[in-house]
Amino acid sequence: MKSKYISIIDIAKQLHISKSTVSRALTGHPSVHPETRSRVLELAQKLDYQRNPLALGLARNNTNIIGILVPEIMSTYFPSVIIGAQEVLHEAGYNAIICHNNESYNAEVLNTKLLLSYHVDGIIVSHTKETRNFDHFQMIQRRGIPLVFFNRTSDELNVPHVVVDDYEAAFRAVEHLIKIGRRRIAHLAGPDSLINTKLRQQGYLDALKKHKIPVDPDLVISYDLTLEKVRIYIKHFLELPQPPDALFTINDPTAIAAMEVIRQKGLSIPDDIAVVGFSNDLSARLVSPGLTTVAQPTFEIGREAARLLLQDITSTVKNDYSVKKAPSVMLKTKLIIRESTVMKQGK
Amino acid sequence: MKSKYISIIDIAKQLHISKSTVSRALTGHPSVHPETRSRVLELAQKLDYQRNPLALGLARNNTNIIGILVPEIMSTYFPSVIIGAQEVLHEAGYNAIICHNNESYNAEVLNTKLLLSYHVDGIIVSHTKETRNFDHFQMIQRRGIPLVFFNRTSDELNVPHVVVDDYEAAFRAVEHLIKIGRRRIAHLAGPDSLINTKLRQQGYLDALKKHKIPVDPDLVISYDLTLEKVRIYIKHFLELPQPPDALFTINDPTAIAAMEVIRQKGLSIPDDIAVVGFSNDLSARLVSPGLTTVAQPTFEIGREAARLLLQDITSTVKNDYSVKKAPSVMLKTKLIIRESTVMKQGK
DNA sequence: CAATCTATTGGGAATGTTCCCATATTCCTT
DNA sequence: AAGGAATATGGGAACATTCCCAATAGATTG
């Protein structure tokens, strides 16, 4: 049985011309007779011909496929970055293979190998919370395959990346808490493996410093983002001799889990404890009271990441990031104030 | 410059044997000398050889790639189905290309063409809310490419599918409302283009019938899932001469949007109006009061869909669904009762 | 009018892999 | 010991495409 797909050769045979001519006609090569071209295009249309990108990839050694590697797709953050990236990629004629690894380092390494085996033209990455070893990414770079990081980046590696100003965002979030009169502000931070954690923590510390509020080490805890553990840490905060009057968390799911615990303890939000999250997940708007949080321009992060990658792919001179500083894009955040820090008017 | 990837031929040259032998050694063909095999495997390991799935796809005319086509990835429903499907697919040595189309019919048609051009071995689909014409799916089937639907299916087409018992789930959800004493139960339904809508609506109607509650056509509205419009319909319900004392919605986002409107009107949930959603999105647990809803076994839906697809792909006899009835899997749902219908004990 | 140019086309290599067929070697079996 | 089976390997077609290098024909130019 013949293949269920029609090829360039089928068209060539039907028109009694060579496959080279058909190829040229379809790719818009200038040196092909206008009449020949239109006959080819017409038949291709009629037969609903689709060129085989796999064969194209083999022949030209570039696949027009981009790998997108994210730790998870269950929150709204990564899906919306992906959507933004795909928008730009599609426009430029590229397609994306999306890989997620449920925050597992091993799965991440396997996925990079998978993407490489597909000869992708470039990879956009936000690494897992477990990733401390970046050899697999370094290998990609050494092979000359364009790579872009977003959100979670690394000091060790010189990779083009797009981030938000985590430091400033955290600083402003904490300053907001100070401005509404809070003085004992707890911070439930993320794992040290994530650079964002460090930056946000520094923003937290510097905001306190600026307003001459002493830092209480009891009020800062780093945790591994396993939501089940939030209860323990929040309880710990609440049972301190001097419990906090505000809480700033590494992300929105953490804040929402914390709010649940606080409410169960019979405390009121924001009266007893004001809460601020990070990222403006869809759910931040849905919970009650609404969660004050830092909004990230997720779509734009995806778009920028795709743009950076395409620059590297299409640039004629290969950028050697072992010599040259990799470009980075830093996008603005916005503090969204809701009822978890400020009571609504007229309520 | 040579390609940055090493091939079977590179290995063959270094070992002074033919590429055929290398191929056989790597694929585990029996007729290859154990020593030769181990030498090949060793060198392959050392060079970090990865076989090129594009070339493999060309040569064998099957790519081991599965297309997954969903209307959106911003809610938790589709991502978790995808995760379930990928689990089964990976285990069987397949990889997935995920396409989403933001509920746009045109994008859906383009995406199916894209997947076909990649010569995917099969496609798993949940169509858009706009899809009324199924020609593009029929074409896939006619070409003999295995196809599986989930969640949103079609009467017109005989395609293997996995669904939940929407009728029964809706029936039980409404019965729950009746059991807690509600008599004027409104239903905000989805668009007629979705089969689920019809089934859930029938469940709603039959539950009322069973309990001899007259159906009030004013209390049933179909809408197109554009959340912005929920406000209008809920206001309409609330301003009826005899407003409803309960609301059953097509999905959780709708229910949550409705709750917002109800609260703004100064009404209490569940005292004035009890609310039930559908699907048990992550956010159903987060809102306050917690949303009573129908939980779907999302991961299992994905797994089942993948299993059905793999059955068709690997079966030696091609199933001709123009003659034979396509298999279908119906999974159980579970009503999750939260505070939007029943007040918590001791509160 | 011959020589060169140009527009259009065909042929075949190359991409990486599998798979069929042929070949060579070794080992049994009668 | 000879024939046949079994084992191990090589060669080359095939998959769909691009791209380079001819080759042909007609057109232009000196």
Side-chain angles (χ1 to χ4, degrees):
Chain A
M1 182 184 89
K2 275 275 170 190
S3 158
K4 37 198 166 182
Y5 300 96
I6 63 134
S7 79
I8 211 178
I9 299 177
D10 300 324
I11 297 180
K13 275 185 187 154
Q14 286 199 38
L15 294 177
H16 302 289
I17 56 178
S18 80
K19 61 180 165 41
S20 310
T21 306
V22 176
S23 169
R24 274 186 290 254
L26 291 170
T27 50
H29 196 91
S31 73
V32 51
H33 196 93
E35 202 200 300
T36 317
R37 159 165 300 134
S38 63
R39 277 172 53 212
V40 169
L41 291 180
E42 205 175 306
L43 185 58
Q45 179 94 50
K46 190 181 140 208
L47 297 178
D48 194 27
Y49 165 80
Q50 300 265 120
R51 84 125 121 1
N52 182 341
L54 279 63
L56 196 159
L58 251 195
R60 288 210 306 203
N61 214 34
N62 68 313
T63 51
N64 275 38
I65 303 177
I66 301 299
I68 301 183
L69 193 49
V70 295
E72 48 97 5
I73 54 173
M74 291 291 285
S75 71
T76 59
Y77 179 83
F78 289 108
S80 42
V81 174
I82 290 171
I83 291 171
Q86 284 189 316
E87 185 189 308
V88 171
L89 293 175
H90 278 148
E91 217 164 282
Y94 289 79
N95 288 111
I97 296 185
I98 300 159
C99 294
H100 54 93
N101 45 44
N102 199 25
E103 297 275 13
S104 148
Y105 168 75
N106 288 333
E108 178 177 276
V109 175
L110 279 168
N111 275 333
T112 57
K113 289 203 174 171
L114 176 76
L115 290 174
L116 283 181
S117 83
Y118 274 95
H119 293 209
V120 293
D121 290 351
I123 305 186
I124 296 176
V125 174
S126 194
H127 64 78
T128 78
K129 68 183 184 192
E130 294 179 357
T131 308
R132 280 150 220 273
N133 179 327
F134 290 84
D135 289 355
H136 51 306
F137 294 128
Q138 210 153 11
M139 193 251 287
I140 293 173
Q141 264 197 318
R142 266 206 306 271
R143 287 223 213 165
I145 296 157
L147 182 65
V148 167
F149 281 166
F150 72 92
N151 183 326
R152 304 178 179 180
T153 62
S154 163
D155 295 333
E156 293 176 37
L157 246 59
N158 187 30
V159 173
H161 57 271
V162 21
V163 291
V164 295
D165 193 339
D166 284 290
Y167 171 83
E168 197 233 0
F171 188 96
R172 282 194 299 157
V174 173
E175 205 165 37
H176 165 67
L177 287 170
I178 296 170
K179 279 191 185 140
I180 59 167
R182 309 297 160 135
R183 286 299 173 270
R184 286 192 58 72
I185 300 169
H187 180 37
L188 190 44
D192 290 336
S193 55
L194 300 183
I195 201 163
N196 320 46
T197 293
K198 296 184 209 163
L199 292 169
R200 291 179 199 172
Q201 193 162 332
Q202 198 55 51
Y204 161 82
L205 293 173
D206 287 1
L208 294 182
K209 205 179 195 177
K210 179 183 165 195
H211 292 271
K212 306 213 163 50
I213 298 174
V215 174
D216 181 347
D218 278 349
L219 291 180
V220 180
I221 296 180
S222 293
Y223 94 114
D224 64 359
L225 305 182
T226 346
L227 283 179
E228 291 74 40
K229 297 188 187 156
V230 170
R231 174 170 303 274
I232 304 167
Y233 302 125
I234 298 301
K235 273 194 173 162
H236 165 81
F237 283 145
L238 298 181
E239 285 162 8
L240 285 175
Q242 275 199 291
D245 55 11
L247 172 66
F248 172 50
T249 66
I250 184 70
N251 60 23
D252 285 350
T254 304
I256 291 169
M259 282 165 72
E260 183 76 20
V261 180
I262 293 169
R263 222 172 335 174
Q264 281 174 5
K265 278 271 172 183
L267 296 171
S268 139
I269 301 168
D271 294 342
D272 298 320
I273 297 192
V275 180
V276 175
F278 209 106
S279 286
N280 196 26
D281 275 11
L282 206 61
S283 46
R285 219 189 49 205
L286 299 174
V287 288
S288 146
L291 177 63
T292 295
T293 185
V294 175
Q296 299 198 42
T298 47
F299 293 100
E300 194 53 31
I301 292 172
R303 286 192 209 107
E304 263 322 315
R307 284 186 204 120
L308 276 183
L309 191 75
L310 289 176
Q311 263 169 36
D312 261 11
I313 291 173
T314 53
S315 90
T316 37
V317 270
K318 276 283 155 255
N319 292 311
D320 184 356
Y321 295 130
S322 63
V323 181
K324 191 177 147 190
K325 178 97 183 65
S328 79
V329 173
M330 188 173 273
L331 296 172
K332 284 246 168 300
T333 59
K334 197 179 162 195
L335 186 67
I336 309 279
I337 296 171
R338 296 204 182 87
E339 303 89 63
S340 73
T341 57
V342 177
M343 264 304 179
K344 252 189 197 156
Q345 302 291 330
K347 243 205 171 172
Chain B
M1 183 183 87
K2 274 274 168 189
S3 159
K4 37 199 168 183
Y5 300 96
I6 62 134
S7 81
I8 210 179
I9 299 177
D10 300 325
I11 297 180
K13 275 183 187 156
Q14 285 198 38
L15 295 178
H16 302 289
I17 55 177
S18 81
K19 61 179 166 41
S20 310
T21 306
V22 176
S23 169
R24 274 186 289 255
L26 290 170
T27 49
H29 195 92
S31 75
V32 50
H33 195 93
E35 202 199 299
T36 316
R37 159 167 298 133
S38 63
R39 276 171 54 214
V40 168
L41 291 180
E42 205 175 305
L43 186 58
Q45 178 94 51
K46 189 181 140 208
L47 297 178
D48 195 27
Y49 166 80
Q50 300 266 120
R51 87 125 119 5
N52 184 341
L54 278 63
L56 196 160
L58 252 195
R60 290 211 304 203
N61 216 33
N62 66 314
T63 51
N64 275 37
I65 303 177
I66 301 300
I68 301 183
L69 193 49
V70 295
E72 48 98 3
I73 54 172
M74 292 291 284
S75 72
T76 60
Y77 178 83
F78 289 109
S80 41
V81 173
I82 291 171
I83 290 171
Q86 284 190 316
E87 184 188 309
V88 171
L89 292 175
H90 277 149
E91 217 164 282
Y94 288 79
N95 288 111
I97 296 185
I98 300 159
C99 294
H100 54 94
N101 45 45
N102 199 25
E103 297 276 16
S104 148
Y105 168 75
N106 288 332
E108 179 176 276
V109 175
L110 280 168
N111 276 332
T112 57
K113 290 204 173 170
L114 177 75
L115 290 174
L116 282 181
S117 83
Y118 275 95
H119 292 210
V120 293
D121 290 350
I123 305 186
I124 296 176
V125 173
S126 193
H127 64 78
T128 78
K129 69 183 184 193
E130 295 179 358
T131 309
R132 281 149 218 274
N133 179 326
F134 291 83
D135 289 355
H136 50 306
F137 294 129
Q138 210 154 10
M139 195 250 287
I140 293 174
Q141 264 196 318
R142 264 204 310 268
R143 287 224 214 164
I145 296 157
L147 183 65
V148 168
F149 281 166
F150 72 92
N151 184 326
R152 303 177 179 181
T153 62
S154 164
D155 295 333
E156 293 175 36
L157 247 58
N158 187 31
V159 173
H161 58 272
V162 21
V163 290
V164 296
D165 193 340
D166 284 291
Y167 171 83
E168 197 231 2
F171 188 96
R172 282 193 299 157
V174 173
E175 206 165 39
H176 164 67
L177 288 169
I178 296 171
K179 278 191 186 140
I180 60 167
R182 310 297 161 133
R183 285 299 172 271
R184 285 192 60 72
I185 300 169
H187 180 37
L188 190 44
D192 290 336
S193 54
L194 300 183
I195 202 164
N196 322 46
T197 293
K198 295 184 209 161
L199 291 169
R200 292 179 198 171
Q201 194 163 332
Q202 199 54 52
Y204 161 83
L205 294 172
D206 286 2
L208 295 183
K209 204 178 198 175
K210 180 184 165 194
H211 292 271
K212 306 211 165 50
I213 298 174
V215 173
D216 181 346
D218 278 348
L219 291 180
V220 180
I221 296 180
S222 294
Y223 94 114
D224 64 0
L225 305 183
T226 343
L227 283 179
E228 291 74 40
K229 298 190 187 153
V230 170
R231 176 168 303 273
I232 304 167
Y233 301 124
I234 298 302
K235 273 194 173 163
H236 165 81
F237 283 146
L238 298 182
E239 285 163 7
L240 285 174
Q242 273 197 294
D245 55 11
L247 171 66
F248 172 50
T249 65
I250 184 71
N251 61 22
D252 285 351
T254 304
I256 291 170
M259 282 165 72
E260 183 76 19
V261 180
I262 293 169
R263 223 174 332 174
Q264 281 173 6
K265 278 272 174 183
L267 296 171
S268 140
I269 302 168
D271 294 342
D272 298 322
I273 297 193
V275 180
V276 175
F278 208 106
S279 284
N280 196 26
D281 275 10
L282 205 60
S283 45
R285 217 189 51 205
L286 299 174
V287 288
S288 145
L291 177 64
T292 295
T293 185
V294 175
Q296 299 199 42
T298 46
F299 293 101
E300 194 54 30
I301 291 171
R303 286 191 209 105
E304 263 323 314
R307 283 186 204 119
L308 275 183
L309 191 74
L310 289 176
Q311 262 170 36
D312 261 11
I313 290 173
T314 54
S315 90
T316 38
V317 270
K318 276 284 154 257
N319 292 310
D320 184 356
Y321 295 130
S322 62
V323 181
K324 189 177 149 189
K325 178 100 183 65
S328 79
V329 173
M330 189 173 272
L331 295 172
K332 283 245 169 299
T333 58
K334 197 179 162 195
L335 186 68
I336 310 279
I337 296 172
R338 297 204 181 90
E339 303 89 62
S340 73
T341 57
V342 177
M343 263 306 179
K344 251 189 195 152
Q345 300 291 332
K347 243 204 172 176

